Amino acid sequence: MSGPLLEVRDLAVRFAAEEGPPVEAVRGISLEVAPGEVLALVGESGCGKSVTALALTGLLGGGAARVAGSARLAGRELIGAGDDELRAIRGAEVAMVFQDPLSSLNPVLRVGDQIAEQIRAHGPAGREEARARAAELLDQVGVTPGAERARAYPHELSGGMRQRAMIAMALSCSPRLLIADEPTTALDATVQAQVLALIGELRDATGAGVLLITHDFGVVAELADRVAVMRAGRIVEQGGVEEVFDRPADGYTRRLLAAVPRADAPPRAPLEAREPLLELEGLAVAYGGGRGRIARRAARRAVDGVDLTVAAGETVALVGESGSGKSSLARAAARLIDPAAGRVLLGGSDFTRAGRRALAPLRRDLQLVFQDPQGSLNPRRRVGASVALGLRLRGAGRAEADRRARALLERVGLEPAHADRWPHELSGGQRQRVGIARALAPEPRLVVLDEPLSALDVTVRAQILELLDDLQRERGLAYLLISHDLAVVRQVAHRVAVMRDGRIVEQGPAVEVLAAPADPFTAELLAAVPVAHPRDRATPTA
Amino acid sequence: MTRFVAGRLGQMVVVLFAVSVLTFLIFNVIPNGDPASRMAGKSPTETQVEAIRAEWGFDEPLPVQYLRTMEQVLGGQAISYFTQLNVRDEILRGLPRTLALAVGAAILWMAFGIALGLLGALRAGRLSDRLLTFAALAGVSLPVFWLGAILSHFLGYEWGLFPNGGYVPFAEDPLDWAYHLVLPCATLAVLFTGFYSRLVRSNVLDTMGEDFVRTARAKGLSERRVLLAHVLRNSLIPVVTLWGLDFGAVVAGGAILTETVFDIQGVGQYAAESVGQLDVPPVLAVTLFGAFFIVVLNTAVDIAYALLDPRIRVGER
């Protein structure tokens, strides 16, 4: 049989709204996926790409969604197919891999049993046979030894292993189409590279078509054969991956591509030597343990003897994988947690053992901006009040604090009137701007940015980076930027420190560390960064 | 695991000690609580009261009285001040009755709670869900003594469908035993069913929104399997643990009203009567028995929780 494996024509999805007109999430899109082809569906959050995937498999659920148009899988119509027909297709012919493998796996069932369950749902296999097959599949995707890992619960596996297990599950019935919805977004860079490579290999081995949903052009450049760019429920551009990267036809595609930090851009030059503002000496943070002597010995050292300085006006990036101790280090520097050993100095004063009162200068001069702008704003406090609180605590009168809060909101690119809004009324990017305004309120000298961009869309990231850069110039702010995204680090950092297992394995000027890494782990991190352009792939695909 | 259980046993000793001291003190500060003058009958002479006081040791210092009473209670030698019957024998006589009532009610409220809760969750927002919500609220609000009296009056006395209270030992006639337990168990279960169906409903609704349920559907599992293996199993973990706690509370005294309304003569009714007479030894014994039961079931629940949810490991802190 020739022709497309999946053929979507004029697919539209509307959600009935509680009040007002229905929301048109997908407005008539058409696309095709050939056997053995990877089609990347790219767009920013809320553009309708995940809704498209769920609509194809009849998983939108509830009575609220109305799906129109046509989607044929090898000639068979999926839209409007009966429940039993769709159930037989799901998992067997169309398999799905989702973003967060921890929440996508049932926490109380063993991984092997969750795979076996799918095998048994689509075939005559007995319990033991299905289990054996699950173990084989786990071996095949690199979760080894499969027979042993099959008996593990999801929380006992690492993030990368969990996503591999999800992929093993998706493959268990040899599907013709694999829908991968942001499969690597929740993973570290090195793990992302491995998972993308795995999907590529499996596509080559099985000849399945892949519909890859992502917001990340790096992922697209690594894996896709063709690209469909989606915006506000429509496909604005569709074409071969090189063509889209080289000659984007649509203005929105061009904006998206321009917003992607260039992994091949030259890093920033270091600043000339100046007095350090923040000094961490032999800093250590330990978790667990307790008061007893044995318990304390059993405690895990999240940060283990770190020396790090940040000078005024300087941006130091702290990079490393999740669990390497980056956030613990930042918290100890802000004295939000007590260090187990070492010293914390800011502006020459020692704050390591400072009590509540003595901490006041540190609390003013060092501010934090967090990853999740929604989770870090009080949902029951108006935005303006959140920003003004820091000013009020430092003695500003109500009217004065309110006036300055509005001025700060304006400075970070919001309207003064946003002060009267609730956090849930703002977009993710706007909320992160509020987070920055809140941090700026006490006029700090150093801002610790803990993964400030990872919850944001590409175009929004570029705007926030620009804002941070402007503020640094204007106020001489120093930044300690915690990030796992080396492309961002390359763009903003004067100096880079690489962290692994609680220790700093390498630090120095960005130009040196990023261009000629001395430590093998740094080199590994750099190699895992997705290529900037499909032509730079390590193994060119057909 | 051994350390966990040992730690719990240690805690239990502390809890039981505190409970016994408090109970003992309460009955010694209650006005008109002097047991000697109550035991002496109507209009006694001062000599008679003094004689009783000396005989029973009520003139000794409180700590000595406490220790002696505790020794009797723990040794099974405690005697009621008023009936002169051995307290341990009375509790052992009532225990099977209370347990039968509690077990029957617990099975009923769990079964109906899960069924109605699941139904409500599957029909969330529709008329049937609203009716179930209303029924659950009514069930929670009905006082046990009122509901018990109404059921007993109409189903038992007026229409003769069920026996009008009382208890028949299992050994005598198993069928009659079960027959006599239907109304009391149902009465006690109504309150908990209302509460449990709401709990199951909200847990099921929460779980249905989880990513792994979407995964289960994407795997092509039947809706029945999605509900039973993925949704219900995860929703019931907190419910099962709560069930253990509530069962313990019912055995330890939560069934007092039901037992009294239906004249079951279980431990609860014994406790109620003893409290009414300010009869310290049985009250102390029943209180300790109840506290013991609650602590044991708490421990059992914690262990069950760890078995049901692999993310929790017993003994780790």
Side-chain angles (χ1 to χ4, degrees), chain A residues 72-97:
Chain A
R72 287 171 180 276
L73 180 76
R76 254 167 99 188
E77 181 61 55
L78 297 176
I79 307 300
D83 284 347
D84 289 330
E85 193 180 354
L86 279 174
R87 194 174 303 134
I89 291 173
R90 284 200 291 260
E93 297 192 42
V94 181
M96 299 181 84
V97 174

Side-chain angles (χ1 to χ4, degrees), chain B:
Chain B
M1 187 68 197
T2 324
R3 256 180 74 184
F4 170 76
V5 172
R8 273 313 174 86
L9 286 176
Q11 283 175 22
M12 184 160 86
V13 171
V14 175
V15 168
L16 292 183
F17 175 71
V19 166
S20 65
V21 169
L22 276 176
T23 315
F24 189 80
L25 284 180
I26 286 172
F27 279 87
N28 272 283
V29 297
I30 287 181
N32 203 11
D34 177 17
S37 56
R38 294 167 59 87
M39 285 162 81
K42 280 182 187 168
S43 45
T45 65
E46 191 56 30
T47 2
Q48 281 172 318
V49 174
E50 277 308 319
I52 293 174
R53 197 165 279 149
E55 189 193 335
W56 289 78
F58 296 141
D59 48 358
E60 291 174 57
L62 275 187
V64 177
Q65 286 194 46
Y66 167 79
L67 285 178
R68 194 186 54 239
T69 316
M70 283 305 288
E71 194 187 337
Q72 290 170 348
V73 166
L74 295 177
Q77 303 299 320
I79 305 279
S80 158
Y81 291 162
F82 298 100
T83 62
Q84 316 290 332
L85 291 172
N86 183 296
V87 170
R88 187 185 59 179
D89 293 347
E90 288 296 296
I91 290 183
L92 286 181
R93 197 178 68 87
L95 187 57
R97 299 157 179 252
T98 300
L99 277 181
L101 174 65
V103 169
I107 291 173
L108 278 183
W109 90 58
M110 191 66 165
F112 279 97
I114 292 175
L116 297 178
L118 193 58
L119 194 66
L122 292 178
R123 311 228 165 252
R126 297 197 212 161
L127 182 64
S128 44
D129 176 41
R130 284 179 206 177
L131 290 177
L132 282 173
T133 305
F134 177 76
L137 195 64
V140 171
S141 322
L142 288 180
V144 167
F145 54 84
W146 183 83
L147 180 68
I150 291 289
L151 288 181
S152 158
H153 178 76
F154 284 102
L155 297 181
Y157 177 72
E158 291 271 344
W159 303 333
L161 295 175
F162 289 97
N164 194 2
Y167 178 86
V168 176
F170 183 81
E172 257 172 47
D173 185 347
L175 267 183
D176 214 25
W177 169 80
Y179 192 37
H180 275 81
L181 278 172
V182 172
L183 279 191
C185 287
T187 304
L188 184 55
V190 161
L191 174 129
F192 286 102
T193 304
F195 179 62
Y196 273 63
S197 68
R198 296 306 292 167
L199 187 67
V200 169
R201 178 185 179 275
S202 74
N203 280 359
V204 165
L205 282 179
D206 282 352
T207 312
M208 286 211 274
E210 296 277 353
D211 287 350
F212 63 81
V213 174
R214 184 185 57 188
T215 307
R217 295 214 169 91
K219 282 153 80 170
L221 304 183
S222 67
E223 199 56 23
R224 184 190 155 83
R225 173 135 190 119
V226 171
L227 271 183
L228 294 182
H230 293 273
V231 175
L232 206 51
R233 182 164 168 173
N234 279 279
S235 321
L236 287 189
I237 291 173
V239 179
V240 166
T241 56
L242 195 65
W243 186 55
L245 296 181
D246 279 338
F247 176 73
V250 164
V251 174
I256 286 185
L257 288 174
T258 318
E259 285 185 10
T260 310
V261 170
F262 289 98
D263 193 26
I264 305 277
Q265 311 227 339
V267 182
Q269 200 172 345
Y270 181 53
E273 284 162 8
S274 306
V275 170
Q277 294 167 325
L278 300 184
D279 197 352
V280 175
V283 170
L284 209 52
V286 171
T287 311
L288 284 181
F289 159 82
F292 172 80
F293 215 86
I294 287 183
V295 176
V296 165
L297 267 155
N298 259 309
T299 310
V301 157
D302 282 351
I303 294 171
Y305 207 100
L307 293 177
L308 288 170
D309 192 334
R311 286 169 295 184
I312 297 160
R313 264 170 286 166
V314 172
E316 220 174 67
R317 279 207 48 188

Side-chain angles (χ1 to χ4, degrees), chain A residues 444-487:
Chain A
R445 298 155 77 188
L446 172 73
V447 179
V448 176
L449 306 156
D450 191 350
E451 301 275 6
L453 305 175
S454 21
L456 306 176
D457 279 324
V458 210
T459 50
V460 182
R461 282 183 194 192
Q463 294 160 8
I464 297 283
L465 278 178
E466 204 175 311
L467 171 66
L468 289 171
D469 192 42
D470 288 349
L471 290 170
Q472 183 166 55
R473 274 176 228 283
E474 184 182 301
R475 305 181 179 219
L477 277 176
Y479 292 134
L480 177 59
L481 170 73
I482 295 174
S483 180
H484 67 275
D485 186 342
L486 283 172

